Amino acid sequence: MTDVKIHVPIRVTAEPLNDTQWEDVLRKINRQSIDPLTKDDVFTFSGICSNDRMDAYLTRMDPVTTLRNYVEDLQNGVPLQEGHDIFKNPYGRSYDGEYLASSETENSNSVRGHWYLLRNLTINGASTDDTIRAIRGGIIKDMSVGFGGNEIWYRCSSCGRDIFDWDCPHLPGIDDENGRQTFSWIVDGRLREVSTVYNGATPGAYIDKARAFIQQGEMSRDNIVKLEREYQVRLDDGKRSIFMPTKEGKSVDLIEQIRTSLREGKLEKSRVYDILTAEGETFRQPDDVQIRNELGDQASVDGIKQLKSEAEMGRSYVADLIDKAVATRVKAQGDGFNSEKYKEMLVRVNDIEFLKDEIESYENQAKERFTTGRQTEKEDLEKEDLQETRMDEEPEQNIFDK
């Protein structure tokens, strides 16, 4: 799954602590610090940073994986950034996180984060004392969490597939075949950082999928308008107008007009493709897109030629190994077995490591069978000793002595 970074706003509050609470808080904070800190060194605040309710991007955090991952990440220490700028040094860090079941909150499973700032610190040209005053004075209330992760994926609420998979025909914000609005569950997400400046981010991969559906003619006019309003973007990238004005001043659906002309035989499909291709449009089916994604940098004529050449060399190598395995077994066991069936079995297996093991095994058998030099058995030695004894007991007789 593509690692899509989304920023979600949270509300923060300062948290007054008594002496007993400070002892536990400082213990957790000092796990992050090299030099021990005191309560006079730090300012702490907290906030509900995520829950499993629907957000503005039509996503919901999976409470079993993502929300519990957030708690673990907060407890381990998540950087506090400015404006999600990860190229700047963090000026604060989380020291704790807790999971709040729906029974403890407003009918949703939630995660509360706890953060600390060092007082009297200037970092990235800004004073933390000023930030602390802004939080305490209610100027800074909204924050934003950035999340992602290598294992994150977006489960479609309608079909359960990865919502970025072409096998999933749904898009967040559009009603599915059962009339339910589709959204996505964020599964196995991890917290990356938290920022004190909210900067909304539209999930770009949704836009890519929507644009591809539009290019393939798989989305109605109403759904196009709905998604453009939801995501606040032009889904056609401004390259063409979907709706054209008529002389009467009314708008007409150009795409529907083209479809009608194609059905009535008034327009050749090839001419439409030629015109739009000349304008830079590319028409690909989902299978073609998946193949190109799989090939990556090899998705070119030269790249495919290289892959074909390497595949041919691989086939030749496997064929040579199969012939060698058959020959080695014949050498070890003779030709009393069915070599053709053995060869067919090796072809079906088609495993290089298995072929190498077969060759090595029969080579060892052949070595044991054809050990160089004559081996003397115990019985042979006994026979030779008996013959020598008999010759000593019975001296030679000359037949001419009689």
Side-chain angles (χ1 to χ4, degrees):
M1 218 307 294
T2 305
D3 182 3
V4 181
K5 183 175 180 181
I6 299 178
H7 306 142
V8 179
I10 64 178
R11 182 59 57 88
V12 302
T13 57
E15 47 184 1
L17 302 172
N18 58 39
D19 291 339
T20 303
Q21 291 171 318
W22 266 115
E23 183 178 348
D24 183 56
V25 167
L26 288 174
R27 178 180 57 82
K28 294 175 180 177
I29 289 176
N30 283 322
R31 289 184 305 185
Q32 312 283 343
S33 174
I34 296 176
D35 296 327
L37 300 173
T38 68
K39 67 178 183 180
D40 293 331
D41 296 324
V42 298
F43 168 78
T44 63
F45 63 96
S46 68
I48 298 294
C49 61
S50 191
N51 56 48
D52 60 358
R53 288 182 295 187
M54 188 86 73
D55 60 30
Y57 303 114
L58 299 173
T59 59
R60 297 178 67 179
M61 304 295 173
D62 178 48
V64 177
T65 60
T66 298
L67 291 185
R68 297 191 183 276
N69 287 345
Y70 287 0
V71 173
E72 179 182 335
D73 295 333
L74 288 164
Q75 290 173 346
N76 290 334
V78 175
L80 183 63
Q81 304 285 156
E82 179 182 357
H84 299 289
D85 189 348
I86 60 174
F87 296 103
K88 290 183 178 180
N89 291 320
Y91 63 91
R93 186 168 292 274
S94 69
Y95 66 88
D96 200 4
E98 52 189 316
Y99 185 90
L100 304 176
S102 58
S103 58
E104 304 175 61
T105 60
E106 298 177 359
N107 299 320
S108 65
N109 300 297
S110 305
V111 174
R112 174 175 287 276
H114 299 263
W115 296 269
Y116 72 96
L117 277 69
L118 287 180
R119 298 177 184 275
N120 193 28
L121 175 68
T122 299
I123 190 166
N124 301 322
S127 169
T128 54
D129 286 348
D130 291 341
T131 304
I132 292 169
R133 289 183 62 195
I135 293 174
R136 295 180 67 91
I139 304 301
I140 295 179
K141 288 185 177 180
D142 293 325
M143 296 178 65
S144 170
V145 297
F147 63 90
N150 295 328
E151 304 297 328
I152 188 174
W153 65 287
Y154 291 63
R155 186 175 67 234
C156 176
S157 65
S158 297
C159 67
R161 299 185 182 94
D162 190 324
I163 204 154
F164 298 118
D165 192 331
W166 282 104
D167 290 335
C168 167
H170 308 106
L171 274 169
I174 300 299
D175 291 346
D176 62 15
E177 57 275 11
N178 297 314
R180 301 170 303 184
Q181 187 184 60
T182 298
F183 64 90
S184 59
W185 288 100
I186 297 175
V187 182
D188 273 327
R190 309 296 309 213
L191 270 186
R192 291 289 185 80
E193 44 81 23
V194 179
S195 290
T196 48
V197 176
Y198 175 62
N199 183 14
T202 301
Y206 291 170
I207 304 301
D208 293 340
K209 184 175 179 180
R211 283 176 176 150
F213 278 178
I214 291 173
Q215 288 178 357
Q216 300 300 329
E218 298 177 10
M219 190 173 295
S220 68
R221 178 187 65 182
D222 291 342
N223 283 340
I224 292 172
V225 173
K226 186 175 182 179
L227 284 180
E228 287 188 336
R229 183 171 57 248
E230 190 74 45
Y231 297 150
Q232 294 297 301
V233 295
R234 281 286 300 276
L235 290 175
D236 64 356
D237 282 336
K239 294 179 180 177
R240 63 183 183 278
S241 296
I242 296 177
F243 308 108
M244 300 291 290
T246 63
K247 292 181 179 179
E248 292 79 13
K250 298 180 181 179
S251 62
V252 60
D253 188 336
L254 180 59
I255 292 179
E256 187 58 37
Q257 197 175 65
I258 292 174
R259 286 177 178 159
T260 301
S261 297
L262 289 171
R263 285 195 297 268
E264 295 175 354
K266 298 178 181 178
L267 185 64
E268 294 181 22
K269 186 181 293 186
S270 60
R271 289 292 300 145
V272 177
Y273 279 117
D274 289 343
I275 293 171
L276 293 179
T277 301
E279 296 295 322
E281 298 292 344
T282 302
F283 293 86
R284 298 190 180 101
Q285 295 302 318
D287 287 346
D288 185 23
V289 174
Q290 289 181 347
I291 290 172
R292 288 176 173 273
N293 289 338
E294 188 68 27
L295 289 173
D297 294 338
Q298 298 287 351
S300 64
V301 175
D302 291 338
I304 293 174
K305 286 181 179 178
Q306 180 182 348
L307 290 175
K308 289 176 66 177
S309 175
E310 293 173 354
E312 186 59 38
M313 287 189 291
R315 283 192 290 268
S316 299
Y317 178 61
V318 171
D320 291 343
L321 286 179
I322 291 174
D323 291 340
K324 185 175 180 180
V326 174
T328 306
R329 183 171 178 181
V330 170
K331 181 179 178 181
Q333 298 181 348
D335 55 5
F337 71 99
N338 192 329
S339 60
E340 288 301 318
K341 286 188 175 294
Y342 178 60
K343 185 172 183 177
E344 290 175 3
M345 183 273 289
L346 296 178
V347 171
R348 286 195 301 272
V349 173
N350 195 29
D351 186 300
I352 291 177
E353 294 303 320
F354 177 79
L355 292 172
K356 289 180 179 179
D357 290 342
E358 287 287 287
I359 293 170
E360 182 180 1
S361 174
Y362 288 118
E363 282 180 344
N364 292 335
Q365 289 184 30
K367 289 178 183 178
E368 293 175 1
R369 182 181 178 190
F370 301 106
T371 303
T372 57
R374 178 178 179 274
Q375 296 198 7
T376 303
E377 300 293 338
K378 182 178 180 182
E379 294 180 0
D380 295 335
L381 292 174
E382 291 175 351
K383 289 180 182 178
E384 291 178 3
D385 292 341
L386 181 60
Q387 290 176 357
E388 291 177 359
T389 303
R390 287 178 178 174
M391 290 177 66
D392 293 339
E393 293 175 352
E394 300 177 7
E396 290 186 358
Q397 293 185 1
N398 193 328
I399 62 174
F400 297 106
D401 290 340
K402 294 182 178 181

